[in-house]
PDB file of all heavy atoms in Angstrom:
ATOM      1  N   ASP A   1       3.423  -6.767  -9.696  1.00 90.00           N
ATOM      2  CA  ASP A   1       2.281  -5.874  -9.933  1.00 90.00           C
ATOM      3  C   ASP A   1       1.720  -5.967 -11.344  1.00 90.00           C
ATOM      4  O   ASP A   1       1.163  -4.995 -11.856  1.00 90.00           O
ATOM      5  CB  ASP A   1       2.676  -4.422  -9.626  1.00 90.00           C
ATOM      6  CG  ASP A   1       2.847  -4.191  -8.133  1.00 90.00           C
ATOM      7  OD1 ASP A   1       2.125  -4.825  -7.357  1.00 90.00           O
ATOM      8  OD2 ASP A   1       3.705  -3.379  -7.763  1.00 90.00           O
ATOM      9  N   ALA A   2       1.844  -7.115 -11.976  1.00 94.00           N
ATOM     10  CA  ALA A   2       1.289  -7.270 -13.327  1.00 94.00           C
ATOM     11  C   ALA A   2      -0.239  -7.208 -13.256  1.00 94.00           C
ATOM     12  O   ALA A   2      -0.842  -7.611 -12.260  1.00 94.00           O
ATOM     13  CB  ALA A   2       1.737  -8.603 -13.927  1.00 94.00           C
ATOM     14  N   PRO A   3      -0.868  -6.692 -14.301  1.00 92.00           N
ATOM     15  CA  PRO A   3      -2.337  -6.652 -14.327  1.00 92.00           C
ATOM     16  C   PRO A   3      -2.911  -8.072 -14.255  1.00 92.00           C
ATOM     17  O   PRO A   3      -2.364  -8.997 -14.846  1.00 92.00           O
ATOM     18  CB  PRO A   3      -2.654  -6.005 -15.673  1.00 92.00           C
ATOM     19  CG  PRO A   3      -1.409  -5.334 -16.114  1.00 92.00           C
ATOM     20  CD  PRO A   3      -0.280  -6.104 -15.499  1.00 92.00           C
ATOM     21  N   GLY A   4      -3.994  -8.211 -13.537  1.00 91.00           N
ATOM     22  CA  GLY A   4      -4.638  -9.520 -13.385  1.00 91.00           C
ATOM     23  C   GLY A   4      -4.937  -9.783 -11.928  1.00 91.00           C
ATOM     24  O   GLY A   4      -4.665  -8.960 -11.059  1.00 91.00           O
ATOM     25  N   THR A   5      -5.487 -10.931 -11.662  1.00 95.00           N
ATOM     26  CA  THR A   5      -5.893 -11.255 -10.307  1.00 95.00           C
ATOM     27  C   THR A   5      -4.983 -12.302  -9.678  1.00 95.00           C
ATOM     28  O   THR A   5      -4.013 -12.760 -10.291  1.00 95.00           O
ATOM     29  CB  THR A   5      -7.368 -11.706 -10.277  1.00 95.00           C
ATOM     30  OG1 THR A   5      -7.816 -11.710  -8.917  1.00 95.00           O
ATOM     31  CG2 THR A   5      -7.572 -13.066 -10.912  1.00 95.00           C
ATOM     32  N   ASN A   6      -5.295 -12.655  -8.449  1.00 95.00           N
ATOM     33  CA  ASN A   6      -4.520 -13.651  -7.720  1.00 95.00           C
ATOM     34  C   ASN A   6      -5.380 -14.192  -6.576  1.00 95.00           C
ATOM     35  O   ASN A   6      -6.423 -13.605  -6.251  1.00 95.00           O
ATOM     36  CB  ASN A   6      -3.213 -13.030  -7.199  1.00 95.00           C
ATOM     37  CG  ASN A   6      -3.475 -11.809  -6.364  1.00 95.00           C
ATOM     38  OD1 ASN A   6      -4.072 -11.884  -5.292  1.00 95.00           O
ATOM     39  ND2 ASN A   6      -3.051 -10.645  -6.860  1.00 95.00           N
ATOM     40  N   PRO A   7      -4.983 -15.292  -5.965  1.00 95.00           N
ATOM     41  CA  PRO A   7      -5.801 -15.873  -4.898  1.00 95.00           C
ATOM     42  C   PRO A   7      -6.063 -14.919  -3.731  1.00 95.00           C
ATOM     43  O   PRO A   7      -7.167 -14.908  -3.175  1.00 95.00           O
ATOM     44  CB  PRO A   7      -4.985 -17.086  -4.442  1.00 95.00           C
ATOM     45  CG  PRO A   7      -4.197 -17.472  -5.654  1.00 95.00           C
ATOM     46  CD  PRO A   7      -3.840 -16.162  -6.311  1.00 95.00           C
ATOM     47  N   GLU A   8      -5.101 -14.101  -3.384  1.00 96.00           N
ATOM     48  CA  GLU A   8      -5.277 -13.195  -2.245  1.00 96.00           C
ATOM     49  C   GLU A   8      -6.343 -12.138  -2.538  1.00 96.00           C
ATOM     50  O   GLU A   8      -7.130 -11.778  -1.665  1.00 96.00           O
ATOM     51  CB  GLU A   8      -3.937 -12.541  -1.869  1.00 96.00           C
ATOM     52  CG  GLU A   8      -2.926 -13.524  -1.318  1.00 96.00           C
ATOM     53  CD  GLU A   8      -2.335 -14.465  -2.354  1.00 96.00           C
ATOM     54  OE1 GLU A   8      -2.181 -14.090  -3.535  1.00 96.00           O
ATOM     55  OE2 GLU A   8      -2.036 -15.621  -1.976  1.00 96.00           O
ATOM     56  N   GLU A   9      -6.378 -11.656  -3.758  1.00 96.00           N
ATOM     57  CA  GLU A   9      -7.398 -10.689  -4.147  1.00 96.00           C
ATOM     58  C   GLU A   9      -8.790 -11.316  -4.079  1.00 96.00           C
ATOM     59  O   GLU A   9      -9.754 -10.684  -3.655  1.00 96.00           O
ATOM     60  CB  GLU A   9      -7.105 -10.189  -5.561  1.00 96.00           C
ATOM     61  CG  GLU A   9      -8.032  -9.112  -6.043  1.00 96.00           C
ATOM     62  CD  GLU A   9      -7.633  -8.584  -7.400  1.00 96.00           C
ATOM     63  OE1 GLU A   9      -7.657  -9.370  -8.385  1.00 96.00           O
ATOM     64  OE2 GLU A   9      -7.279  -7.388  -7.490  1.00 96.00           O
ATOM     65  N   LEU A  10      -8.878 -12.571  -4.470  1.00 96.00           N
ATOM     66  CA  LEU A  10     -10.158 -13.279  -4.410  1.00 96.00           C
ATOM     67  C   LEU A  10     -10.597 -13.493  -2.968  1.00 96.00           C
ATOM     68  O   LEU A  10     -11.787 -13.389  -2.645  1.00 96.00           O
ATOM     69  CB  LEU A  10     -10.066 -14.597  -5.159  1.00 96.00           C
ATOM     70  CG  LEU A  10      -9.786 -14.450  -6.657  1.00 96.00           C
ATOM     71  CD1 LEU A  10      -9.472 -15.805  -7.271  1.00 96.00           C
ATOM     72  CD2 LEU A  10     -10.940 -13.775  -7.355  1.00 96.00           C
ATOM     73  N   ILE A  11      -9.648 -13.769  -2.088  1.00 97.00           N
ATOM     74  CA  ILE A  11      -9.975 -13.905  -0.664  1.00 97.00           C
ATOM     75  C   ILE A  11     -10.453 -12.563  -0.114  1.00 97.00           C
ATOM     76  O   ILE A  11     -11.408 -12.502   0.662  1.00 97.00           O
ATOM     77  CB  ILE A  11      -8.778 -14.469   0.121  1.00 97.00           C
ATOM     78  CG1 ILE A  11      -8.561 -15.939  -0.274  1.00 97.00           C
ATOM     79  CG2 ILE A  11      -8.984 -14.330   1.629  1.00 97.00           C
ATOM     80  CD1 ILE A  11      -7.283 -16.539   0.222  1.00 97.00           C
ATOM     81  N   ALA A  12      -9.801 -11.482  -0.530  1.00 98.00           N
ATOM     82  CA  ALA A  12     -10.237 -10.143  -0.096  1.00 98.00           C
ATOM     83  C   ALA A  12     -11.670  -9.875  -0.556  1.00 98.00           C
ATOM     84  O   ALA A  12     -12.494  -9.362   0.214  1.00 98.00           O
ATOM     85  CB  ALA A  12      -9.287  -9.075  -0.636  1.00 98.00           C
ATOM     86  N   ALA A  13     -11.990 -10.227  -1.788  1.00 97.00           N
ATOM     87  CA  ALA A  13     -13.349 -10.030  -2.297  1.00 97.00           C
ATOM     88  C   ALA A  13     -14.348 -10.870  -1.498  1.00 97.00           C
ATOM     89  O   ALA A  13     -15.429 -10.386  -1.136  1.00 97.00           O
ATOM     90  CB  ALA A  13     -13.419 -10.396  -3.780  1.00 97.00           C
ATOM     91  N   ALA A  14     -13.978 -12.104  -1.209  1.00 98.00           N
ATOM     92  CA  ALA A  14     -14.854 -12.979  -0.433  1.00 98.00           C
ATOM     93  C   ALA A  14     -15.065 -12.425   0.965  1.00 98.00           C
ATOM     94  O   ALA A  14     -16.191 -12.431   1.486  1.00 98.00           O
ATOM     95  CB  ALA A  14     -14.277 -14.391  -0.374  1.00 98.00           C
ATOM     96  N   HIS A  15     -14.003 -11.930   1.599  1.00 98.00           N
ATOM     97  CA  HIS A  15     -14.123 -11.429   2.957  1.00 98.00           C
ATOM     98  C   HIS A  15     -14.976 -10.157   3.003  1.00 98.00           C
ATOM     99  O   HIS A  15     -15.861 -10.023   3.865  1.00 98.00           O
ATOM    100  CB  HIS A  15     -12.742 -11.192   3.573  1.00 98.00           C
ATOM    101  CG  HIS A  15     -12.758 -11.168   5.056  1.00 98.00           C
ATOM    102  ND1 HIS A  15     -11.725 -10.642   5.787  1.00 98.00           N
ATOM    103  CD2 HIS A  15     -13.673 -11.586   5.968  1.00 98.00           C
ATOM    104  CE1 HIS A  15     -12.010 -10.747   7.082  1.00 98.00           C
ATOM    105  NE2 HIS A  15     -13.191 -11.309   7.207  1.00 98.00           N
ATOM    106  N   ALA A  16     -14.739  -9.237   2.081  1.00 98.00           N
ATOM    107  CA  ALA A  16     -15.532  -8.006   2.044  1.00 98.00           C
ATOM    108  C   ALA A  16     -17.007  -8.309   1.814  1.00 98.00           C
ATOM    109  O   ALA A  16     -17.883  -7.734   2.475  1.00 98.00           O
ATOM    110  CB  ALA A  16     -15.001  -7.068   0.954  1.00 98.00           C
ATOM    111  N   SER A  17     -17.283  -9.215   0.905  1.00 98.00           N
ATOM    112  CA  SER A  17     -18.679  -9.574   0.594  1.00 98.00           C
ATOM    113  C   SER A  17     -19.351 -10.258   1.770  1.00 98.00           C
ATOM    114  O   SER A  17     -20.472  -9.920   2.153  1.00 98.00           O
ATOM    115  CB  SER A  17     -18.716 -10.509  -0.620  1.00 98.00           C
ATOM    116  OG  SER A  17     -18.136  -9.896  -1.741  1.00 98.00           O
ATOM    117  N   CYS A  18     -18.683 -11.244   2.332  1.00 98.00           N
ATOM    118  CA  CYS A  18     -19.237 -12.007   3.445  1.00 98.00           C
ATOM    119  C   CYS A  18     -19.481 -11.104   4.654  1.00 98.00           C
ATOM    120  O   CYS A  18     -20.544 -11.151   5.278  1.00 98.00           O
ATOM    121  CB  CYS A  18     -18.282 -13.141   3.808  1.00 98.00           C
ATOM    122  SG  CYS A  18     -18.886 -14.222   5.117  1.00 98.00           S
ATOM    123  N   PHE A  19     -18.502 -10.268   4.975  1.00 98.00           N
ATOM    124  CA  PHE A  19     -18.646  -9.379   6.128  1.00 98.00           C
ATOM    125  C   PHE A  19     -19.813  -8.420   5.940  1.00 98.00           C
ATOM    126  O   PHE A  19     -20.603  -8.200   6.868  1.00 98.00           O
ATOM    127  CB  PHE A  19     -17.349  -8.606   6.393  1.00 98.00           C
ATOM    128  CG  PHE A  19     -17.502  -7.605   7.496  1.00 98.00           C
ATOM    129  CD1 PHE A  19     -17.468  -8.004   8.808  1.00 98.00           C
ATOM    130  CD2 PHE A  19     -17.735  -6.270   7.203  1.00 98.00           C
ATOM    131  CE1 PHE A  19     -17.652  -7.089   9.846  1.00 98.00           C
ATOM    132  CE2 PHE A  19     -17.919  -5.346   8.230  1.00 98.00           C
ATOM    133  CZ  PHE A  19     -17.877  -5.754   9.546  1.00 98.00           C
ATOM    134  N   SER A  20     -19.940  -7.839   4.745  1.00 98.00           N
ATOM    135  CA  SER A  20     -21.037  -6.898   4.500  1.00 98.00           C
ATOM    136  C   SER A  20     -22.396  -7.562   4.689  1.00 98.00           C
ATOM    137  O   SER A  20     -23.304  -6.987   5.290  1.00 98.00           O
ATOM    138  CB  SER A  20     -20.930  -6.318   3.086  1.00 98.00           C
ATOM    139  OG  SER A  20     -19.803  -5.475   2.986  1.00 98.00           O
ATOM    140  N   MET A  21     -22.535  -8.791   4.193  1.00 98.00           N
ATOM    141  CA  MET A  21     -23.802  -9.513   4.370  1.00 98.00           C
ATOM    142  C   MET A  21     -24.038  -9.859   5.831  1.00 98.00           C
ATOM    143  O   MET A  21     -25.151  -9.731   6.343  1.00 98.00           O
ATOM    144  CB  MET A  21     -23.800 -10.786   3.526  1.00 98.00           C
ATOM    145  CG  MET A  21     -23.886 -10.509   2.032  1.00 98.00           C
ATOM    146  SD  MET A  21     -23.919 -12.025   1.068  1.00 98.00           S
ATOM    147  CE  MET A  21     -25.603 -12.556   1.379  1.00 98.00           C
ATOM    148  N   ALA A  22     -22.987 -10.300   6.526  1.00 98.00           N
ATOM    149  CA  ALA A  22     -23.117 -10.642   7.943  1.00 98.00           C
ATOM    150  C   ALA A  22     -23.484  -9.408   8.759  1.00 98.00           C
ATOM    151  O   ALA A  22     -24.312  -9.476   9.683  1.00 98.00           O
ATOM    152  CB  ALA A  22     -21.816 -11.264   8.468  1.00 98.00           C
ATOM    153  N   LEU A  23     -22.904  -8.266   8.412  1.00 98.00           N
ATOM    154  CA  LEU A  23     -23.214  -7.025   9.122  1.00 98.00           C
ATOM    155  C   LEU A  23     -24.673  -6.621   8.871  1.00 98.00           C
ATOM    156  O   LEU A  23     -25.373  -6.205   9.795  1.00 98.00           O
ATOM    157  CB  LEU A  23     -22.258  -5.918   8.715  1.00 98.00           C
ATOM    158  CG  LEU A  23     -22.462  -4.556   9.372  1.00 98.00           C
ATOM    159  CD1 LEU A  23     -22.559  -4.657  10.898  1.00 98.00           C
ATOM    160  CD2 LEU A  23     -21.351  -3.606   8.958  1.00 98.00           C
ATOM    161  N   SER A  24     -25.149  -6.792   7.655  1.00 98.00           N
ATOM    162  CA  SER A  24     -26.548  -6.497   7.370  1.00 98.00           C
ATOM    163  C   SER A  24     -27.467  -7.353   8.239  1.00 98.00           C
ATOM    164  O   SER A  24     -28.452  -6.861   8.796  1.00 98.00           O
ATOM    165  CB  SER A  24     -26.844  -6.737   5.888  1.00 98.00           C
ATOM    166  OG  SER A  24     -28.205  -6.470   5.613  1.00 98.00           O
ATOM    167  N   ALA A  25     -27.127  -8.628   8.371  1.00 98.00           N
ATOM    168  CA  ALA A  25     -27.931  -9.528   9.207  1.00 98.00           C
ATOM    169  C   ALA A  25     -27.892  -9.097  10.669  1.00 98.00           C
ATOM    170  O   ALA A  25     -28.937  -9.055  11.341  1.00 98.00           O
ATOM    171  CB  ALA A  25     -27.428 -10.969   9.076  1.00 98.00           C
ATOM    172  N   GLN A  26     -26.711  -8.752  11.159  1.00 98.00           N
ATOM    173  CA  GLN A  26     -26.571  -8.334  12.557  1.00 98.00           C
ATOM    174  C   GLN A  26     -27.314  -7.020  12.817  1.00 98.00           C
ATOM    175  O   GLN A  26     -27.930  -6.851  13.871  1.00 98.00           O
ATOM    176  CB  GLN A  26     -25.097  -8.207  12.937  1.00 98.00           C
ATOM    177  CG  GLN A  26     -24.360  -9.523  13.030  1.00 98.00           C
ATOM    178  CD  GLN A  26     -24.844 -10.360  14.188  1.00 98.00           C
ATOM    179  OE1 GLN A  26     -25.283  -9.859  15.228  1.00 98.00           O
ATOM    180  NE2 GLN A  26     -24.779 -11.671  14.025  1.00 98.00           N
ATOM    181  N   LEU A  27     -27.255  -6.114  11.857  1.00 98.00           N
ATOM    182  CA  LEU A  27     -27.998  -4.856  12.004  1.00 98.00           C
ATOM    183  C   LEU A  27     -29.498  -5.130  12.039  1.00 98.00           C
ATOM    184  O   LEU A  27     -30.225  -4.557  12.858  1.00 98.00           O
ATOM    185  CB  LEU A  27     -27.653  -3.895  10.866  1.00 98.00           C
ATOM    186  CG  LEU A  27     -26.253  -3.288  10.907  1.00 98.00           C
ATOM    187  CD1 LEU A  27     -25.932  -2.601   9.590  1.00 98.00           C
ATOM    188  CD2 LEU A  27     -26.088  -2.342  12.086  1.00 98.00           C
ATOM    189  N   GLY A  28     -29.956  -6.015  11.177  1.00 97.00           N
ATOM    190  CA  GLY A  28     -31.372  -6.376  11.142  1.00 97.00           C
ATOM    191  C   GLY A  28     -31.853  -6.941  12.468  1.00 97.00           C
ATOM    192  O   GLY A  28     -32.971  -6.645  12.916  1.00 97.00           O
ATOM    193  N   GLU A  29     -31.003  -7.744  13.117  1.00 97.00           N
ATOM    194  CA  GLU A  29     -31.355  -8.294  14.429  1.00 97.00           C
ATOM    195  C   GLU A  29     -31.505  -7.199  15.480  1.00 97.00           C
ATOM    196  O   GLU A  29     -32.143  -7.399  16.511  1.00 97.00           O
ATOM    197  CB  GLU A  29     -30.304  -9.308  14.883  1.00 97.00           C
ATOM    198  CG  GLU A  29     -30.344 -10.610  14.104  1.00 97.00           C
ATOM    199  CD  GLU A  29     -29.304 -11.608  14.580  1.00 97.00           C
ATOM    200  OE1 GLU A  29     -28.703 -11.409  15.659  1.00 97.00           O
ATOM    201  OE2 GLU A  29     -29.088 -12.601  13.846  1.00 97.00           O
ATOM    202  N   ARG A  30     -30.930  -6.047  15.209  1.00 97.00           N
ATOM    203  CA  ARG A  30     -31.004  -4.921  16.136  1.00 97.00           C
ATOM    204  C   ARG A  30     -32.000  -3.873  15.661  1.00 97.00           C
ATOM    205  O   ARG A  30     -32.010  -2.742  16.143  1.00 97.00           O
ATOM    206  CB  ARG A  30     -29.609  -4.325  16.317  1.00 97.00           C
ATOM    207  CG  ARG A  30     -28.690  -5.258  17.111  1.00 97.00           C
ATOM    208  CD  ARG A  30     -27.220  -4.940  16.894  1.00 97.00           C
ATOM    209  NE  ARG A  30     -26.381  -5.827  17.679  1.00 97.00           N
ATOM    210  CZ  ARG A  30     -26.072  -7.087  17.333  1.00 97.00           C
ATOM    211  NH1 ARG A  30     -26.531  -7.616  16.220  1.00 97.00           N
ATOM    212  NH2 ARG A  30     -25.288  -7.823  18.098  1.00 97.00           N
ATOM    213  N   GLY A  31     -32.808  -4.223  14.678  1.00 97.00           N
ATOM    214  CA  GLY A  31     -33.839  -3.318  14.183  1.00 97.00           C
ATOM    215  C   GLY A  31     -33.329  -2.203  13.300  1.00 97.00           C
ATOM    216  O   GLY A  31     -34.000  -1.184  13.133  1.00 97.00           O
TER     217      GLY A  31
END
C-alpha cells in the first residue's frame, strides 16, 4: 500500500474512462 500508482490502477482508469464514453455514445443512439 505504498503511495504511488501501478499497472492495475492505470487499467482501472482506462476502463472507467472508456466505459463512460461508450455509455455516452450508447445513450446518444437512444436519444
Side-chain angles (χ1 to χ4, degrees):
D1 289 327
T5 193
N6 55 65
E8 293 72 32
E9 184 176 64
L10 297 170
I11 291 169
H15 201 197
S17 301
C18 183
F19 175 79
S20 292
M21 290 181 75
L23 180 50
S24 179
Q26 290 292 329
L27 289 168
E29 288 181 12
R30 290 160 179 80

